[in-house]
């Protein structure tokens, strides 16, 4: 059977970054920029006051004290009407253009207005005090963000500053989400005998969003060929199709057969891991197809190990992840398992590095135990008495 690392390598061999497209900056957070972006302006576009106060000539205040004639007032959004000559000052607000002749702004707290004159009592200003000069931040033509940048909120602000409501970026992959199972009912329904609520559909959608992808929910497929076929055909139109359930060895586990019939090439089916061994991965053209086992924790962990790295690669990230860190076990933990096991846990970074505490968990169907966890600690196969302080690879899941 394939190891997790081997299976991940196969997935990444088939995942290529999507072609760049125009993306509105309102939706660009976390996307990878696909062009070098240059400023169309000097920023700031004029010498700008950084305080409310008075624009002055620093040469008029060699000791920081003086009485100046107030000749004008300028607020943000206006332009000064008169230059400041020797012995004069202009009342100015933060963000307003500094008038010609002035080379410093004295903050209002250090001044007192008497009739049309202002008494100043401050440190001697230097030329440039409280002024943000034209093009001090960026010059027209400067490349302000380089191709490959992962856009942060501040980058979105910079793009707005340089007049780019849209940019070329790697767009979000569209992920068809298709839960399967005769026993499933929607979350808004009360399950009848033998039925359960479909938790995986909404959960996989949320994992897609956390991974910056766009989920497209297809509804529940029943364990019948005439239900699976049209929904799988629809899902194959997306960049990625994620199915849940129907991939194990049960009588009604029809998913791999239907995928084969629809010309999906199986790349692997089964990975040496727990939970999640029956996980399926296939491709049709550029479309990636994942069949996640139906037990909710299996589904969750297989998404993090295989689907999320694929999405990161489609999104153009150089580092596909997943993030695995060595973490010291908090408390002794005797544990027997027949395959490498991803055990739900709480990971914290303390003064002594990463520390991990396994959750109280009763297996792959027990999803609630994972509320409040943020990781899976990876225990090896065998019967072990793991002792406190031993370090284990831990998959970050947040
Ligand atoms: P399967 O992989 O289809 O054999 O399903 C394995 C287990 O997961 C069964 O107990 C199913 O009832 C359960 N299961 C399958 N799909 C879902 C789902 N969408 N939400 C919650 N549980 C599910
Ligand atoms: Mg099933």
């Amino acid at each position: 059977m394939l190891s997790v690392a081997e299976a991940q390598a196969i997935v990444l061999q088939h995942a290529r970054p999507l072609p760049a497209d125009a993306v509105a900056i309102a939706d660009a957070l976390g996307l990878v920029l696909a062009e070098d972006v240059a400023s169309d302006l000097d920023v700031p576009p004029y010498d700008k006051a950084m305080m409310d106060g008075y624009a002055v000539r620093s040469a008029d205040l060699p000791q920081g004290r003086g009485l100046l004639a107030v000749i004008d007032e300028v607020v943000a959004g206006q332009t000064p009407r008169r230059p400041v000559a020797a012995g004069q000052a202009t009342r100015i607000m933060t963000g307003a253009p500094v008038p010609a002749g002035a080379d410093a702004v004295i903050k209002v707290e250090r001044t007192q207005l008497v009739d049309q004159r202002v008494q100043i009592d401050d440190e001697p200003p230097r030329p440039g005090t409280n002024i943000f000069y034209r093009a001090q931040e960026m010059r027209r033509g400067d490349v302000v963000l380089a191709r490959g940048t992962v856009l942060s909120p501040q980058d979105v602000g910079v793009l707005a500053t340089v007049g780019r409501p849209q940019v070329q970026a790697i767009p979000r992959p569209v992920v068809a989400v298709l839960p399967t199972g005769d026993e499933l009912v929607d979350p808004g329904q009360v399950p009848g005998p033998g039925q359960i609520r479909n938790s995986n559909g909404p959960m996989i959608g949320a994992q897609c969003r956390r991974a910056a992808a766009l989920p497209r929910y297809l509804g529940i497929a029943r364990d019948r060929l005439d239900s699976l076929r049209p929904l799988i055909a629809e899902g194959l139109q997306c960049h990625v199709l994620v199915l849940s359930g129907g991939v194990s060895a049960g009588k009604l586990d029809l998913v791999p057969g239907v995928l084969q019939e629809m010309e999906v090439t199986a790349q692997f089916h089964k990975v040496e891991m727990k939970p999640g061994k029956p996980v399926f991965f296939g491709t049709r053209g550029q479309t990636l197809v994942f069949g996640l086992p139906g037990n909710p924790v299996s589904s969750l962990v297989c998404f993090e190990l295989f689907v999320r790295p694929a999405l990161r690669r489609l999104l153009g990230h150089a580092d596909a992840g997943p993030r695995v860190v060595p973490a010291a076990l908090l408390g002794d933990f005797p544990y027997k398992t027949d395959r490498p096991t991803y055990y739900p846990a709480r990971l914290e970074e303390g003064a002594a590095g990463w520390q991990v505490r396994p959750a109280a968990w009763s297996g792959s169907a027990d999803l609630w135990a994972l509320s409040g966890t943020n990781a899976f600690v990876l225990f090896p196969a065998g019967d072990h008495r793991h002792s406190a302080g031993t370090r284990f690879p831990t998959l970050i899941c947040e």
Side-chain angles (χ1 to χ4, degrees):
M1 221 184 307
L2 285 179
S3 70
V4 167
E6 288 164 340
Q8 285 169 331
I10 292 172
V11 169
L12 292 183
Q13 275 163 26
H14 291 90
R16 303 256 168 291
L18 298 179
D21 201 355
V23 173
I25 58 173
D27 189 39
L29 178 65
L31 299 187
V32 174
L33 191 61
E35 60 170 323
D36 289 337
V37 173
S39 179
D40 68 335
L41 300 169
D42 290 345
V43 179
Y46 48 82
D47 299 342
K48 177 188 210 173
M50 295 304 289
M51 289 284 172
D52 295 318
Y54 290 86
V56 301
R57 301 167 72 99
S58 57
D60 281 348
L61 302 164
Q63 313 305 322
R65 294 173 58 95
L67 187 64
L68 303 172
V70 178
I71 57 150
D72 195 8
E73 180 176 289
V74 55
V75 300
Q78 293 183 344
T79 52
R81 283 164 296 189
R82 301 174 59 183
V84 172
Q88 297 181 335
T90 286
R91 176 84 169 107
I92 195 165
M93 309 306 154
T94 303
V98 175
D103 65 357
V105 172
I106 306 295
K107 59 178 163 188
V108 71
E109 292 86 343
R110 297 302 167 88
T111 69
Q112 210 177 348
L113 188 62
V114 191
D115 299 325
Q116 282 310 297
R117 294 188 300 175
V118 62
Q119 179 69 53
I120 291 169
D121 187 359
D122 198 0
E123 310 276 285
R126 281 169 291 111
T129 295
N130 296 326
I131 295 175
F132 195 35
Y133 281 107
R134 175 176 182 147
Q136 190 175 332
E137 182 179 351
M138 60 178 84
R139 231 165 243 297
R140 178 188 173 140
D142 282 351
V143 171
V144 292
L145 292 173
R147 167 195 293 266
T149 301
V150 180
L151 295 170
S152 64
Q154 51 271 42
D155 294 332
V156 170
V158 168
L159 289 169
T161 300
V162 302
R164 296 299 307 273
Q166 291 202 327
V167 281
Q168 288 289 313
I170 311 286
R172 296 175 196 278
V174 179
V175 182
V177 179
L178 181 54
T180 73
D182 282 342
E183 73 279 34
L184 302 179
V185 301
D186 283 326
Q189 292 183 285
V190 179
Q195 296 184 321
I196 60 163
R197 291 199 176 103
N198 163 30
S199 55
N200 293 352
M203 182 168 69
I204 292 168
Q207 286 180 288
C208 287
R209 291 209 186 273
R210 181 162 68 181
L214 273 182
R216 179 176 296 165
Y217 182 61
L218 303 185
I220 297 168
R222 299 307 171 188
D223 294 319
R224 292 192 315 266
L225 297 176
D226 65 336
S227 175
L228 284 164
R229 280 181 183 137
L231 289 168
I232 287 177
E234 189 183 340
L236 287 170
Q237 304 307 309
C238 295
H239 298 116
V240 179
L241 166 58
V242 177
L243 296 117
S244 123
V247 292
S248 321
K251 205 171 148 193
L252 291 181
D253 289 331
L254 305 175
V255 166
V258 176
L259 291 173
Q260 190 183 9
E261 184 189 304
M262 297 199 156
E263 286 171 352
V264 172
T265 306
Q267 304 293 346
F268 62 74
H269 188 184
K270 282 189 189 21
V271 174
E272 180 74 11
M273 62 182 284
K274 199 175 188 170
K277 176 171 100 169
V279 60
F280 171 97
F281 171 62
T283 52
R284 192 179 78 168
Q286 294 296 308
T287 302
L288 309 180
V289 182
F290 296 89
L292 310 182
N295 267 310
V297 182
S298 313
S299 172
L300 186 89
V301 74
C302 286
F303 187 106
E304 295 299 313
L305 287 172
F306 305 115
V307 184
R308 195 172 182 179
L311 294 175
R312 282 185 62 82
R313 192 45 63 77
L314 263 54
L315 282 157
H317 291 281
D319 170 19
R323 284 185 68 200
V324 177
V325 297
L329 201 55
L330 284 165
D332 294 340
F333 198 77
Y335 190 59
K336 181 181 173 185
T337 181
D338 58 350
R339 290 192 297 284
T341 296
Y342 289 86
Y343 202 100
R346 178 85 207 160
L347 178 69
E348 255 143 42
E349 199 172 11
W354 293 105
Q355 296 185 311
V356 68
R357 186 187 298 285
W361 181 51
S362 31
S364 60
D366 180 11
L367 183 61
W368 187 33
L370 277 70
S371 270
T373 69
N374 58 356
F376 290 91
V377 52
L378 177 57
F379 290 126
D383 189 357
H384 299 281
R385 302 192 59 78
H386 302 305
S387 47
T390 312
R391 287 181 189 278
F392 291 92
T394 301
L395 169 69
I396 297 180
C397 177
E398 55 185 15

